[in-house]
Amino acid sequence: MTPSAEARPRVLSLVELDAEELERLEAVAEVEVRPWTETLVLADPVELAEELTAKQVMALFVEADFVMAETFEAAPGLRFVGIGRGDSGHVDIDAATRAGVVVTHSSGRNAEAVAELTIAMMLALLRGIPDAGAYVRERRWDDPVTAYTEMRGSELGRQVVGIVGLGRIGRQTARLASAFGARVLATDPALSDAQIRAAGCEPVKLADLLAASTMLAVHCPALKATRGLIDADALALMPRGARLVVTTGEGVVGEGDVAEALRDGHLAGAAFDVFETHPIRPDSPLLDAPNALLLPHIGGATDATVQRYSAMVVEDFLAFLEGRRPARIVNPEVLEQRA
């Protein structure tokens, strides 16, 4: 039996939801969807609390919006926050726990999308696809021989692909690169050699990985320990003519160091989808660097990513409503407090 409107929980989603998952949610709840990607506004924490209280909202879904202590303290009816991304740093988890609010996230929701883009950027660098496309569009293609003399590229299957950070994205990148026939090396201090081998990679130390990699993919998160990990010294260890793909956390790869390595020819190419700021700083040295492919952070921007995080958030909320433990709960101690 469908609950009456008065008995149905109220959900406010500040993130886009997949149509099928929204229909599934609307079967049990009153739902308002107001994505930040449409409003182009992030909610003020105090104003958000006032809205949650006025509308008697039980569950809040977010992606980019901040949910801080002020919100949890001033919205006593809030019981569930679902995050449509893997990172939960923009939600005050300690404050949520003190307020008895369950928080879930959507870890891995964009792993396939980012890994596929990583491979696409590798291929673009190896085959010079952006420049070749411009060559045709700009009506400069007047010689049938040029493609074979000046645009000769390399194949991914002939590369040694080094992966720094073997989380979900790194493992998916390794699987795809292996399918092309590449030799894949990996380093990740959180994993044992056996775990790295199980992911289809050869475990090596970072310095050895850099020295052997003709194509480097950096996938580790932005942490205090990883900031500046790939700097001028690290790049100098790589073979001359190697290439670099960056979809890692902000600040892990030194943009100025990469720009210099491109200018002096030590790197044959570099592709970035993540920068120190978003959008990229107008004075970033990468903007004027040769052989740099720069994308506007499109790694997770696929319909499938929206479907995946929508399913994760909705599944976890339905589990919460039914008194079950949400599969992707961030603060399980909340459930212990209620026990």
Side-chain angles (χ1 to χ4, degrees):
M1 180 181 297
T2 303
S4 65
E6 293 75 13
R8 288 156 61 90
R10 296 178 184 270
V11 178
L12 172 62
S13 180
L14 300 181
V15 61
E16 178 186 356
L17 293 177
D18 173 75
E20 290 186 8
E21 295 301 328
L22 176 58
E23 182 177 355
R24 183 181 175 196
L25 182 61
E26 288 177 330
V28 299
E30 298 297 315
V31 186
E32 177 183 355
V33 182
R34 196 173 69 234
W36 70 276
T37 49
E38 293 181 7
T39 65
L40 303 181
V41 174
L42 298 182
D44 175 88
V46 174
E47 293 177 357
L48 178 59
E50 293 173 351
E51 179 180 8
L52 296 175
T53 299
K55 295 180 177 179
Q56 298 181 317
V57 171
M58 172 194 283
L60 174 68
F61 299 166
V62 297
E63 182 181 24
D65 290 271
F66 290 83
V67 189
M68 310 309 292
E70 303 94 305
T71 304
F72 291 111
E73 292 167 1
L78 184 64
R79 304 264 52 91
F80 181 96
V81 172
I83 305 172
R85 59 192 293 183
D87 180 18
S88 58
H90 57 305
V91 175
D92 191 328
I93 304 300
D94 290 339
T97 302
R98 290 194 300 271
V101 178
V102 168
V103 180
T104 67
H105 65 163
S106 305
S107 182
R109 95 282 187 210
N110 66 355
E112 288 88 346
V114 177
E116 287 187 6
L117 182 67
T118 299
I119 297 297
M121 290 194 290
M122 289 180 181
L123 295 172
L125 292 177
L126 290 166
R127 300 302 302 272
I129 293 172
D131 289 341
Y135 177 75
V136 175
R137 287 196 310 274
E138 294 168 4
R139 296 173 172 80
R140 292 185 284 122
W141 188 21
D142 55 10
D143 181 354
V145 179
T146 302
Y148 301 96
T149 58
E150 298 180 18
M151 297 183 181
R152 183 176 297 166
S154 302
E155 297 174 11
L156 183 53
R158 298 293 185 91
Q159 305 303 306
V160 178
V161 175
I163 299 178
V164 180
L166 204 60
R168 288 181 174 86
I169 296 172
R171 290 195 298 271
Q172 184 73 352
T173 298
R175 186 182 70 80
L176 295 174
S178 295
F180 276 84
R183 177 188 174 197
V184 182
L185 314 179
T187 184
D188 190 320
L191 301 178
S192 67
D193 287 358
Q195 289 173 312
I196 292 175
R197 290 193 187 94
C201 306
E202 300 175 37
V204 292
K205 300 296 184 183
L206 177 60
D208 295 332
L209 180 144
L210 293 170
S213 298
T214 59
M215 179 69 73
L216 181 67
V218 187
H219 290 307
C220 56
L223 304 171
K224 185 176 181 180
T226 61
R227 184 163 188 82
L229 181 67
I230 306 301
D231 58 8
D233 291 338
L235 295 172
L237 295 175
M238 297 182 67
R240 187 170 183 84
R243 296 171 176 87
L244 167 70
V245 174
V246 180
T247 60
T248 186
E250 296 85 348
V252 175
V253 178
E255 295 181 8
D257 296 330
V258 173
E260 182 59 32
L262 289 169
R263 282 193 293 267
D264 68 19
H266 185 72
L267 287 181
F272 281 74
D273 188 49
V274 177
F275 304 90
E276 293 178 0
T277 62
H278 294 91
I280 188 173
R281 297 195 324 268
D283 62 346
S284 171
L286 289 172
L287 291 169
D288 297 316
N291 302 316
L293 173 60
L294 311 177
L295 302 180
H297 197 37
I298 61 172
T302 67
D303 292 337
T305 294
V306 175
Q307 191 282 325
R308 276 190 291 268
Y309 76 63
S310 297
M312 292 175 181
V313 171
V314 170
E315 286 171 5
D316 281 339
F317 178 60
L318 295 180
F320 169 78
L321 283 182
E322 295 169 3
R324 297 183 287 111
R325 179 192 175 102
R328 287 158 286 269
I329 189 168
V330 177
N331 55 345
E333 56 270 32
V334 167
L335 302 180
E336 298 171 3
Q337 292 174 4
R338 295 178 178 179

